[in-house]
Amino acid sequence: MRDNILSTCEKNFLLQAINENKRLDGRQFHECRNETIHFGTDWGSCLVTLGETRVLAQVSCDIQPPKASKPNDGLLYVHVEMSPMAALHFESGRQSDISVQVNRLLEKCLKESKCVDLEALCIVSDEKVWNIRIDLNVMNFEGNLASCCSVAALAALAHFRHPDVTSTGEKIIIHPASEKDPIPINLHHYPVIISYALFNNGNHIVSDPTALEEKVADSLLLLSVNSYREICGMHFEGAPLPSSDVVIKCSRNAVNTATHLVKQIKKALSDDLEKRSRASFGGLSDSLDLNHIFSRIEENLRIDFKRECSWRDEPTPDVKPDIGGVIKMESDEDLNLDIDSDGISDSDGEDSKYSVKSVNQKTAELISKGPDLLDNDDTDMSDNGEVIEVPPKSDAKNLEEIELSGDSEEEDVVVLDSSIK
């Protein structure tokens, strides 16, 4: 499925806002969206949110033979999965142009910058090494995917632990976590990708662009920067720049942004270790947004029982009859019921024939005190249904008196009397 075509009205509206030094989401040109990092219960599981862009990273490992050109180095593999869950124009099981581009950018950022100490992943030279695999699953796409994936991959690598091994010369013993503590991956530095969208020949530079800004921008500039103020890589696409001053200006801003992101990653790692030590770790369930408008809606659906109050006229609760003379009452707002020891009293002060039984904070049951819920003989049930009388057990026919015709395919049933011994 192809991406939605950008209309001319949307493009002109965005360009006019950029010319007026405004952005559609209210941010400044150099301001980035809020970024959150949450770790799962397994080592190497990480969920990163950059605005509305969400990426789930998972690091795994296995033992494989090394490459012939580098017999003492471990292996590092990066894979980005983009499904229709992230955006409708992504196809499942098929790599798009943007997924191939993000894969190459991450390999340059992590492998070519020598971020990971691959020599420390060697078990036996020229025979067995650790193969580290980073799987990135894009859950939602709303621009600046490369930056979000780089932070997720870097945080997952720093969080991952591989098993400890012992080589006896003849065989390799992999120790479980119960015997020896897993070993973290050694990282030399923390490079992250910072994205910029350029408008009007570089006169307007937008940091952390959204998906709409990436479509309208004249060109895109992606810089891989670490916390040591070093540029580890650069990617440029789109219209050529008139001068190199734009790249210098973007690189200065990218250094400050990368330093802030690296500090946030290290803080999230320290918080995760502290939660694990206290055994109060909730995993990815901590990433649930409880500030959403629909997240706490069920907590407000309750019924308050008070001593001195009466039925409220507005709103009228939905009364639904149930089997056994029980009426369940549900309401979107708090219901105030006038309850005493004898039951419910109405607005005229007369005692009711019903009593209230509280099921939980959100549901109450109205139970009839009499034998029947409907005691009016002249009640018209044409609109609500049909009243069916159930005969008493004494009037039921004995199964021994039922005779089957010859054409019936049913088998004869003989009921034994329990009194006969």
Side-chain angles (χ1 to χ4, degrees):
M1 184 176 182
R2 294 185 178 180
D3 192 5
N4 296 331
I5 300 176
L6 184 64
S7 63
T8 306
C9 296
E10 291 177 310
K11 182 178 179 180
N12 294 337
F13 181 77
L14 179 60
L15 291 176
Q16 183 179 358
I18 294 296
N19 293 330
E20 296 177 0
N21 297 328
K22 297 179 181 178
R23 301 180 70 172
L24 298 184
D25 52 5
R27 291 182 292 155
Q28 301 295 329
F29 281 179
H30 64 278
E31 187 179 357
C32 298
R33 291 172 289 183
N34 295 330
E35 186 162 356
T36 58
I37 302 174
H38 298 277
F39 295 101
T41 56
D42 298 333
W43 294 112
S45 178
C46 177
L47 176 64
V48 175
T49 302
L50 180 60
E52 296 296 332
T53 303
R54 300 170 65 90
V55 176
L56 178 63
Q58 178 64 56
V59 180
S60 58
C61 65
D62 59 347
I63 298 178
Q64 292 187 5
K67 293 183 179 180
S69 58
K70 297 180 179 180
N72 297 325
D73 291 352
L75 304 177
L76 181 63
Y77 180 74
V78 182
H79 176 69
V80 179
E81 179 68 23
M82 306 180 70
S83 62
M85 179 178 60
L88 294 178
H89 59 277
F90 295 149
E91 297 182 7
S92 181
R94 179 180 178 182
Q95 286 191 342
S96 59
D97 296 338
I98 186 172
S99 62
V100 175
Q101 177 183 349
V102 173
N103 263 304
R104 293 177 179 176
L105 290 174
L106 292 177
E107 289 180 356
K108 291 180 181 180
C109 179
L110 300 176
K111 295 178 64 175
E112 296 184 6
S113 66
K114 300 186 182 301
C115 164
V116 182
D117 187 5
L118 297 179
E119 293 183 358
L121 300 177
C122 179
I123 301 175
V124 178
S125 178
D126 203 13
E127 291 185 7
K128 296 183 182 299
V129 296
W130 284 110
N131 176 37
I132 305 299
R133 178 186 174 93
I134 308 174
D135 292 301
L136 300 170
N137 189 1
V138 182
M139 304 181 66
N140 191 39
F141 173 71
E142 190 53 40
N144 199 6
L145 182 61
S147 179
C148 189
C149 288
S150 66
V151 174
L154 188 62
L157 277 175
H159 185 258
F160 181 68
R161 306 286 191 274
H162 66 81
D164 193 4
V165 295
T166 301
S167 177
T168 60
E170 298 179 356
K171 61 180 180 179
I172 297 175
I173 302 175
I174 301 177
H175 301 280
S178 59
E179 296 181 0
K180 290 187 176 181
D181 294 336
I183 302 175
I185 297 178
N186 187 18
L187 300 178
H188 295 303
H189 56 97
Y190 291 79
V192 292
I193 298 177
I194 311 299
S195 302
Y196 294 95
L198 309 179
F199 297 87
N200 301 328
N201 295 327
N203 295 327
H204 296 89
I205 303 175
V206 173
S207 177
D208 186 16
T210 60
L212 183 60
E213 292 173 345
E214 289 180 350
K215 294 180 181 179
V216 182
D218 298 334
S219 54
L220 297 175
L221 177 62
L222 289 82
L223 298 173
S224 178
V225 188
N226 59 12
S227 58
Y228 299 109
R229 307 178 69 89
E230 297 174 348
I231 298 179
C232 305
M234 183 178 67
H235 175 77
F236 181 81
E237 61 177 87
L241 296 176
S243 63
S244 60
D245 297 337
V246 177
V247 180
I248 297 176
K249 184 178 180 180
C250 292
S251 60
R252 291 176 179 174
N253 188 19
V255 168
N256 299 327
T257 306
T259 304
H260 172 72
L261 290 177
V262 171
K263 290 182 179 179
Q264 190 174 1
I265 293 174
K266 292 182 178 179
K267 184 179 182 301
L269 290 171
S270 61
D271 294 343
D272 177 76
L273 292 177
E274 183 180 358
K275 291 180 180 179
R276 290 176 182 270
S277 62
R278 294 182 304 177
S280 60
F281 184 67
L284 294 180
S285 61
D286 297 338
S287 64
L288 298 177
D289 187 8
L290 298 180
N291 295 324
H292 197 271
I293 188 174
F294 297 111
S295 60
R296 298 181 181 270
I297 188 171
E298 293 187 357
E299 297 182 3
N300 298 327
L301 297 178
R302 63 182 186 276
I303 299 178
D304 293 337
F305 298 98
K306 299 181 180 180
R307 276 294 184 183
E308 297 179 358
C309 59
S310 59
W311 287 96
R312 295 197 310 180
D313 296 334
E314 296 291 337
T316 304
D318 298 333
V319 180
K320 302 177 182 179
D322 196 2
I323 300 176
V326 178
I327 295 180
K328 291 185 178 180
M329 300 167 45
E330 300 176 357
S331 176
D332 294 338
E333 298 186 5
D334 298 343
L335 294 178
N336 298 326
L337 306 180
D338 192 9
I339 301 176
D340 51 18
S341 58
D342 297 332
I344 305 176
S345 61
D346 53 15
S347 59
D348 298 334
E350 298 180 358
D351 294 337
S352 175
K353 297 181 180 181
Y354 309 107
S355 62
V356 174
K357 178 182 178 182
S358 176
V359 179
N360 49 42
Q361 294 182 354
K362 309 169 189 176
T363 307
E365 292 183 354
L366 192 62
I367 305 176
S368 174
K369 294 182 179 180
D372 295 325
L373 184 63
L374 300 176
D375 52 357
N376 190 1
D377 298 335
D378 299 333
T379 303
D380 187 8
M381 300 295 293
S382 59
D383 297 335
N384 298 330
E386 182 181 359
V387 179
I388 301 176
E389 295 183 358
V390 180
K393 296 183 179 180
S394 58
D395 296 339
K397 295 182 178 180
N398 194 339
L399 294 178
E400 294 181 351
E401 300 177 358
I402 300 178
E403 297 180 359
L404 300 177
S405 60
D407 298 332
S408 176
E409 297 180 358
E410 300 289 339
E411 296 181 358
D412 295 340
V413 179
V414 178
V415 179
L416 300 179
D417 191 0
S418 57
S419 61
I420 301 177
K421 298 182 181 180

